[in-house]
């Protein structure tokens, strides 16, 4: 089948019911999108399908068709999406494993709602688990990226 | 921006100190370093010791010895080297060490390579600073010879040696081009290290080197390993722990597109396929008949916990336990005490739920060489276990430690590594990556032990403590995971019992461990013993305070009069929380303290309870922590916060239950963990002192459960003694 991933047409010889997640990771070698639960519970596998945040672990590849898939690798050209910059400034990631999914969910939120309040942020983000407990740093980073509350002092670049 | 992560192909290089070679897996730093420059730097370089290589291009490569699982060690440890080397941090490249315990082992683990028990900074801090200082002296010596000036006239700025008298300078890279490592390395002692106040990097919140990659999907975890010709595996394990296969029908598996083969294993059945999805489909299609008979057959947690409780509280059975610690008269005075407070504390099994499920990749060459890529907390244990099972000698097993998507103690074990090793053995020299499903992970964890504790406290007529008796009963962690240490300690289980040791100023106490042997594997869950032992200790201290009609903060301060660091964090947290201020109706504060892993921490929580539903809401958490020297203070604060979140989640809702040896939970829907909408504001204050750095990754966890229990007691008069404090249990208690 043909897919459109990060604005590129790609071919994948896979069964239609194979979840998009495994096509991305195993067939296309794009490992930025993570596997965490396989049942739409954790959000680690979140990608955008035509801009809509989507759990790729439960999305059959055959259902995607010509829709545009955006993964963390395609969120920005040089890792400089305002959210990515804010994530670095706030030092959000610990183990980092959940963060691709967190960023993709947050990016979809800001696209729909460029200035979310705290409750809207928490509502949008509560589907994404961070086992390391970086939740408060995530909120601060989203607020920073959306020009909201004054955020913490960033770490020093030596 | 180019990726800051370099997967290097230069797989081995010799170092002058230490006998071993280093296998290089992941590396961070120096974004602009091109392949040709990198090669040049490696061709001509100076390696003053096993930690440091200085290239002629000025790039300083520093080895990071511990596994990076989110705690920041891949920045913090090299930063200690860079500090005393006076390296230019922007020219530092960090490389994860290969498995070479002789060169990089942690003395606190008897020289093996392992990351856990909050021992990395404690084990390496001084050593790495000395290594940096030593290398700096090598550079100074070479520059002094070159200029023919006394070494004492030389100084350094990051990456540069200066002779101020003649206004000359030489970059480290230039010195590396001609310097020789002296036969006798300069000796540096800890006393010669510069004081913290003069440090450029330590204590300054330098940005972590792994952060940028982790925002771009570029960080490579074990699960992201991809090798030429790689195959994908899955392993089916029996529902009843330790059960055995009787027969298997793999016809259904064979029909799956991409299926390659089934591989019977000593503990289950493996499947190899050409992608992860196919391997899982094939695994699900296996029809296996299990013997339905194992040591865990009667293991139903609700029943077993009752028997543990009986064992913990039956003091006549004292013979069946071992003494962990005894001070003064132990429990002897409790008999004649004016008053005796008695309580039982219970905790259920819990799962780690690292967000990256267990996985590993392995490749055999011939029948006596194995290479492994794994998100492991201990390449030494991964090597040992693989060697024992395959009979391949340890020196023929090469372990590459990848990044870890969470560890929390789970990845000290090597069961998931063995999956890859055994499947790869059947793969004709091709690499095989085995990735567990979340269900595999939940059902086959090395759980936090289910524990019953019995505590008796004797009080005299004035409510002074005259005896303290604490018995812990449960399946041993060390008897399974570290049998030699268990035996050597006479049947004491250091991680199981930790946190029970008595820290308050009283004279007579006795702590005992009553080992239970029911055959379910238990392991290291963040903070290990501290997650339940502090629940018991800190709750009982509150009860003694209540018997004395004393304020819990004042009472602790009195019993810790000889411990100024303890007093300081307790005073500070009381100030942060405004402890004596009246709270809104329906809310109350609770406090708890811990000094585990040489870090002092006090926490206060503000809670309310819905008496109808039993649901506890935590509104605020305050923590004051003194970990001594904080290498990266902001990172200390987020580690403490992360452990508080982990602890809130565990003590309020997490629970694994067994019925007849089979785990009843399977994924995040029936083993929920804390989400963003459940997390209260958390206020952490890092109180930097000049004491040697203590452990950071776990210290935030132990106080959280007792602080909640103490707050609920203030609010309701009822003591929460059974973790997790889920709504059902709290409702029953309040009824
Ligand atoms: S892996 Fe898709 S939601 Fe967890
Ligand atoms: S940073 Fe580890 S799971 Fe979120």
């Amino acid at each position: 089948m043909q897919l459109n991933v990060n604005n590129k047409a790609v071919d994948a010889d896979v069964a239609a019911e194979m979840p998009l997640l495994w096509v991305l990771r195993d067939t296309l070698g794009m490992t930025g999108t993570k596997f965490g639960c396989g049942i739409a519970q954790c959000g680690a596998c979140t990608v955008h399908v035509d801009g809509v945040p989507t759990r790729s672990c439960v999305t059959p590849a055959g259902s995607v068709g010509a829709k545009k898939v955006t993964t963390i690798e395609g969120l920005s050209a040089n890792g400089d999406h305002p959210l990515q910059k804010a994530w670095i400034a706030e030092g959000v990631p610990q183990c980092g494993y959940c963060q691709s999914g967190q960023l993709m969910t947050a990016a979809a939120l800001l696209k729909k709602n460029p200035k979310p309040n705290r409750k809207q942020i928490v509502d949008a983000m509560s589907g994404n688990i961070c086992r390391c407990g970086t939740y408060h740093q995530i909120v601060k980073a989203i607020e920073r990226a959306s020009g909201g509350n004054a955020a913490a002092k960033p770490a020093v670049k030596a | 921006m180019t990726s800051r992560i370099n997967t290097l192909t230069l797989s081995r290089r010799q170092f002058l100190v230490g006998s071993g070679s280093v296998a290089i897996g992941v590396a961070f730093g120096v974004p602009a370093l091109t392949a040709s420059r990198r090669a040049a730097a490696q061709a001509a370089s100076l390696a003053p010791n096993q930690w440091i290589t200085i290239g002629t291009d000025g790039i300083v490569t520093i080895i990071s010895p511990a596994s990076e699982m989110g705690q920041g060690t891949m920045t913090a440890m090299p930063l200690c080297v860079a500090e005393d080397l006076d390296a230019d941090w922007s020219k530092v490249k960090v490389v994860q060490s290969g498995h070479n315990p002789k060169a990089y082992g942690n003395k606190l683990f008897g020289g093996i390579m392992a990351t856990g028990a909050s021992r990395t900074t404690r084990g390496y801090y001084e050593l790495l600073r000395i290594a940096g200082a030593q290398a700096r002296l090598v550079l100074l010596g070479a520059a002094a010879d070159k200029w023919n000036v006394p070494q004492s006239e030389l100084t350094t700025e990051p990456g540069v040696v200066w002779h101020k008298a003649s206004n000359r300078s030489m970059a480290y890279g230039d010195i590396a081009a001609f310097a020789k490592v002296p036969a006798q390395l300069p000796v540096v002692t800890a006393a010669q290290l510069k004081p913290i106040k003069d440090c450029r990097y330590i204590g300054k919140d330098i940005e972590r080197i792994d952060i940028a990659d982790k925002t771009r999907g570029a960080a490579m975890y074990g699960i992201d390993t991809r090798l030429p010709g790689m195959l994908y595996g899955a392993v089916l394990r029996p529902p009843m722990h330790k059960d055995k296969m009787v027969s298997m029908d793999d016809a259904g598996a064979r029909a799956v597109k991409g299926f390659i083969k089934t591989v019977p294993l000593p503990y289950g059945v493996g499947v190899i396929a050409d992608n992860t999805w196919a391997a899982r489909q094939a695994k699900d299609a296996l029809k296996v008949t299990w013997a339905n008979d194992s040591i865990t057959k009667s293991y139903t947690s609700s029943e077993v916990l009752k028997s543990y409780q009986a064992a913990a509280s039956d003091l006549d059975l004292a013979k069946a336990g071992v003494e962990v610690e005894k001070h003064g008269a132990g429990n002897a005075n409790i008999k004649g005490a004016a008053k005796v407070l008695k309580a039982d504390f219970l905790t259920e099994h819990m799962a780690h739920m690292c967000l990256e499920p267990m996985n590993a990749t392995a490749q055999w060459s011939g029948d006596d060489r194995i290479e492994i890529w794994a998100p492991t907390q201990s390449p030494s244990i991964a090597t040992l276990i693989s060697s024992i099972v395959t009979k391949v000698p340890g020196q023929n097993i090469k372990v590459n430690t990848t990044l870890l998507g969470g560890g929390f103690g789970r990845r000290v074990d090597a069961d998931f590594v063995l999956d890859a090793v055994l499947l790869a053995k059947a793969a004709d020299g091709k690499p095989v990556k085995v990735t567990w499903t979340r269900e595999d992970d939940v059902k086959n964890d090395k759980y936090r032990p289910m524990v019953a504790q019995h505590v008796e406290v004797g009080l005299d007529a004035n409510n002074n403590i005259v005896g303290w008796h604490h018995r812990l009963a449960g399946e041993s962690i060390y008897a399974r995971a570290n049998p030699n240490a268990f035996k050597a300690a006479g049947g004491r289980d250091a991680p199981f019992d930790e946190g029970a040791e008595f820290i308050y100023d009283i004279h007579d106490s006795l702590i005992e461990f009553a080992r239970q042997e029911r055959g379910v594997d238990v392991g290291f869950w963040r903070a290990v013993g501290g997650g339940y032992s502090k629940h018991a200790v800190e709750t009982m201290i509150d009860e003694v305070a209540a018997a004395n009609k004393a304020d819990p903060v004042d009472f602790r301060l009195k019993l810790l009069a000889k411990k100024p660091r303890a007093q300081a964090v307790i005073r500070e947290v009381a100030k942060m929380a405004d402890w004596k201020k009246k709270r809104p109706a329906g809310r109350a504060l609770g406090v708890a303290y811990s000094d585990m892993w040489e870090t002092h921490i006090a926490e206060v929580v503000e809670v309310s309870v819905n008496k109808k539903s039993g649901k506890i809401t935590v509104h605020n958490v305050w923590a004051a922590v003194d970990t001594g020297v904080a290498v990266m203070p902001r990172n200390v604060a987020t580690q403490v916060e992360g452990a508080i979140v982990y602890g809130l989640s565990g003590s309020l809702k997490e629970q694994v239950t067994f019925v007849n040896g089979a785990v009843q939970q399977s994924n995040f829907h029936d083993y929920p963990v804390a989400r963003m909408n459940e997390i209260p504001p958390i206020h952490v204050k890092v109180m930097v002192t000049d004491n040697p750095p203590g452990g950071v990754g776990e210290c935030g966890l132990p106080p959280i459960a007792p602080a909640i229990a103490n707050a609920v007691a203030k609010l309701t008069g009822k003591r929460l003694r059974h973790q997790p404090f889920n709504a059902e249990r709290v409702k029953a208690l309040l009824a």
Side-chain angles (χ1 to χ4, degrees):
Chain A
M1 69 182 67
Q2 251 211 352
L3 292 168
N4 180 324
V5 182
N6 298 334
N7 284 321
K8 263 195 231 125
V10 290
D11 280 308
D13 172 25
V14 297
E17 69 273 16
M18 184 155 151
L20 178 60
L21 171 66
W22 297 109
V23 181
L24 291 170
R25 291 183 52 84
D26 287 359
T27 315
L28 303 175
M30 301 173 69
T31 53
T33 305
K34 300 304 187 204
F35 165 68
C37 69
I39 58 166
Q41 285 282 318
C42 77
C45 66
T46 305
V47 298
H48 297 174
V49 177
D50 274 351
V52 179
T54 302
R55 303 294 164 91
S56 65
C57 69
V58 292
T59 305
S63 73
V64 176
K67 290 182 203 147
K68 286 187 165 187
V69 177
T70 308
T71 70
I72 184 73
E73 290 94 343
L75 179 62
S76 65
N78 300 302
D80 54 1
H81 187 285
L83 283 167
Q84 287 167 311
K85 288 201 257 180
W87 245 243
I88 293 171
E90 295 290 344
V92 174
Q94 289 190 19
C95 86
Y97 192 79
C98 70
Q99 302 295 347
S100 297
Q102 306 277 7
L103 279 156
M104 294 311 283
T105 304
L109 166 68
L110 291 196
K111 216 182 236 170
K112 234 177 45 192
N113 180 359
K115 295 237 179 275
N117 62 29
R118 194 162 278 219
K119 177 165 185 320
Q120 290 166 329
I121 293 173
V122 171
D123 284 349
M125 300 303 298
S126 288
N128 286 69
I129 289 171
C130 175
R131 189 58 163 155
C132 298
T134 67
Y135 295 125
H136 287 307
Q137 287 73 44
I138 290 172
V139 172
K140 280 191 215 148
I142 295 173
E143 288 177 345
R144 177 186 280 267
S146 62
N149 300 4
K153 197 168 91 209
V156 183
K157 263 235 181 345
Chain B
M1 201 206 290
T2 52
S3 173
R4 293 195 80 195
I5 193 164
N6 307 308
T7 306
L8 298 190
T9 44
L10 31 110
S11 58
R12 285 177 186 263
R13 59 163 291 117
Q14 288 301 124
F15 283 95
L16 298 178
V17 177
S19 58
S21 54
V22 183
I24 296 172
V26 284
F28 288 99
V30 201
L33 198 61
T34 65
S36 58
R37 280 183 63 207
R38 194 190 304 136
Q42 294 298 335
S45 60
L46 178 75
N49 53 44
Q50 76 269 40
W51 302 98
I52 302 163
T53 308
I54 302 167
T56 50
D57 57 357
I59 301 300
V60 175
T61 302
I62 302 178
I63 301 291
S64 173
S67 302
E68 177 59 71
M69 47 191 177
Q71 81 281 43
T73 191
M74 244 183 132
T75 307
M77 292 303 96
L79 202 63
C80 294
V81 176
E83 180 67 62
D84 291 275
L85 171 59
D86 212 358
D88 176 350
W89 184 248
S90 70
K91 295 203 177 121
V92 167
K93 187 172 76 187
V94 176
V95 171
Q96 175 76 49
S97 75
H99 182 228
N100 181 353
K102 232 188 231 161
Y104 305 115
N106 186 340
K107 61 174 194 233
L108 297 184
F109 284 115
I112 71 161
M113 292 182 71
T115 307
S118 294
R119 288 187 199 172
T120 302
T121 307
R122 289 187 292 153
Y124 290 105
Y125 171 76
E126 199 173 275
L127 184 84
L128 292 181
R129 289 198 60 190
I130 287 174
Q134 185 183 52
R136 180 174 169 274
L137 289 181
V138 170
L139 293 169
L140 287 181
D145 285 352
K146 187 84 168 178
W147 285 329
N148 202 12
V149 297
Q151 190 173 322
S152 59
E153 291 179 7
L154 301 183
T155 56
T156 55
E157 295 286 330
V160 181
V161 174
W162 276 95
H163 184 242
K164 289 270 160 76
S166 61
N167 201 26
R168 280 179 293 181
S169 68
M170 231 187 305
Y172 285 7
D174 297 336
I175 300 174
F178 65 81
K180 297 266 172 299
V181 177
Q184 205 63 36
L185 281 169
V187 175
V188 180
T189 65
Q192 292 166 277
L193 297 173
K194 62 179 155 182
I196 295 298
K197 66 172 177 31
D198 296 339
C199 285
R200 290 181 206 279
Y201 302 134
I202 291 175
K204 296 291 192 296
D205 280 331
I206 299 301
E207 183 185 312
R208 276 173 54 167
I209 55 167
D210 52 340
I211 294 291
D213 274 358
K214 288 176 174 177
T215 66
R216 291 188 279 124
M220 303 299 274
Y221 302 85
I223 201 170
D224 301 324
T225 303
R226 290 175 67 82
L227 296 165
M230 186 173 81
L231 302 176
Y232 299 78
V235 172
L236 179 69
R237 286 176 157 80
M240 179 191 291
H241 278 214
K242 302 191 176 165
D243 204 2
K244 290 269 181 281
M245 183 174 84
V246 176
S247 65
M248 180 214 10
D249 169 5
D250 64 0
R254 288 170 182 280
V256 172
K257 182 176 173 228
F259 169 89
I260 294 171
K261 61 157 74 166
T262 38
V263 183
L265 298 170
Y267 47 78
V269 186
V271 176
I272 301 177
D274 67 9
N275 67 73
T276 309
W277 176 245
R280 290 178 179 182
Q281 300 287 102
K283 170 190 159 209
D284 289 348
L286 290 172
K287 289 208 180 87
V288 176
T289 309
W290 306 101
N292 200 19
D293 187 21
S294 88
I295 178 176
T296 72
K297 188 169 184 173
S298 65
Y299 198 87
T300 295
S301 36
S302 55
E303 296 304 314
V304 173
L305 187 54
K306 280 182 207 149
S307 73
Y308 286 6
Q309 187 175 4
S313 46
D314 186 348
L315 302 187
D316 290 340
L317 286 180
K319 280 192 264 65
V322 291
E323 181 185 303
V324 176
E325 208 179 280
K326 184 178 173 185
H327 296 286
N331 64 335
N333 301 335
I334 295 179
K335 247 189 216 122
K339 191 194 283 177
V340 180
L341 304 178
K342 288 187 195 181
D344 289 342
F345 295 85
L346 306 174
T347 24
E348 304 285 336
H349 285 298
M350 292 185 195
H352 296 79
M353 309 299 267
C354 303
L355 202 58
E356 177 196 19
M358 298 304 109
N359 69 85
T361 306
Q363 182 170 26
W364 287 63
S365 44
D367 56 7
D368 67 345
R369 264 177 202 282
I370 311 171
E371 182 159 4
I372 295 166
W373 296 260
T376 173
Q377 284 181 246
S378 178
S380 293
I381 293 174
T383 302
L384 181 72
I385 297 293
S386 301
S387 176
I388 290 171
V389 173
T390 62
K391 311 262 189 309
V392 170
Q395 69 264 25
N396 289 1
I397 299 174
K398 181 178 162 189
V399 178
N400 305 283
T401 303
T402 64
L403 292 178
L404 283 65
F408 313 118
R410 174 62 180 92
R411 296 190 214 262
V412 174
D413 270 287
D415 47 341
F416 55 95
V417 176
L418 206 52
D419 283 1
V421 166
L422 294 180
L423 289 198
K425 189 177 183 192
D428 302 319
K430 290 207 171 115
V432 177
K433 173 163 74 179
V434 177
T435 304
W436 288 21
T437 61
R438 178 58 61 190
E439 289 77 9
D440 293 334
D441 189 67
V442 173
K443 291 194 177 289
N444 300 283
D445 200 352
K446 306 294 179 193
Y447 306 96
R448 181 160 103 175
M450 191 165 69
V451 180
Q453 306 173 77
H454 179 78
V455 185
E456 295 195 359
V457 185
L459 303 177
D460 68 13
N462 297 321
N463 289 316
N464 296 309
I465 299 173
V466 295
W468 179 284
H469 191 184
H470 186 168
R471 278 172 62 90
L472 301 96
E475 189 85 37
S476 169
I477 301 169
Y478 253 19
R480 175 189 70 82
N482 197 347
N484 292 339
F486 182 72
K487 236 186 254 147
R492 287 172 193 83
D493 186 333
F496 183 99
D497 300 325
E498 67 182 341
E501 62 276 5
F502 209 71
I503 53 180
Y504 290 96
D505 189 14
I506 63 155
H507 195 257
D508 308 296
S509 61
L510 173 66
I511 300 157
E512 293 169 316
F513 170 48
R515 180 185 174 195
Q516 308 296 301
E517 293 179 74
R518 301 296 298 262
V520 160
D521 287 356
V522 294
F524 310 92
W525 194 93
R526 197 175 194 172
V528 199
Y532 44 84
S533 63
K534 286 294 180 216
H535 175 204
V537 172
E538 288 296 299
T539 301
M540 291 311 286
I541 287 290
D542 243 56
E543 289 186 53
V544 179
N548 277 278
K549 303 204 167 33
D551 174 87
V553 163
D554 296 339
F555 189 69
R556 282 178 174 78
L557 289 174
K558 198 175 111 198
L559 283 187
L560 292 163
K562 291 180 196 143
K563 298 192 172 167
R565 293 177 72 189
Q567 290 197 318
V569 292
I570 293 172
R571 282 206 180 95
E572 183 62 33
V573 83
K575 200 165 104 201
M576 289 166 73
D578 208 345
W579 173 257
K580 299 220 161 144
K581 191 180 96 185
K582 204 169 148 28
R583 302 288 142 174
R587 291 199 190 181
L589 301 185
V591 64
Y593 161 75
S594 160
D595 72 346
M596 298 181 73
W597 312 287
E598 298 168 49
T599 291
H600 297 265
I601 183 164
E603 292 174 13
V604 169
V605 300
E606 179 179 28
V607 308
S608 63
V609 185
N610 181 325
K611 290 187 183 146
K612 255 198 220 110
S613 69
K615 188 179 161 13
I616 294 174
T617 302
V618 177
H619 299 277
N620 273 295
V621 181
W622 295 270
V625 56
D626 165 9
T627 188
V629 170
V631 178
M632 302 191 294
R634 183 170 86 154
N635 193 60
V636 170
T638 49
Q639 282 299 300
V640 168
E641 184 172 323
I644 287 172
V645 172
Y646 206 83
L648 281 171
S649 183
S651 55
L652 291 178
K653 54 199 241 178
E654 293 179 32
Q655 170 168 353
V656 161
T657 52
F658 280 82
V659 173
N660 295 330
V663 170
Q664 303 301 294
Q665 292 72 26
S666 62
N667 206 319
F668 288 110
H669 66 289
D670 54 10
Y671 189 94
V673 302
R675 293 175 181 274
M676 189 183 277
N677 57 1
E678 299 166 284
I679 296 303
I682 299 170
H683 321 268
V684 179
K685 174 150 187 197
V686 180
M687 301 167 70
V688 178
T689 62
D690 272 344
N691 294 288
V696 164
E698 305 177 277
C699 66
L701 196 140
I704 202 75
I708 295 171
N710 291 339
V712 169
K714 194 144 139 204
L715 209 52
T716 67
K718 294 272 168 50
R719 295 275 168 189
L720 296 173
R721 305 195 196 276
H722 189 166
Q723 282 192 69
F725 312 139
N726 57 32
E728 211 178 301
R729 206 163 272 143
V730 175
K731 188 178 164 183
L733 181 76
L734 298 182

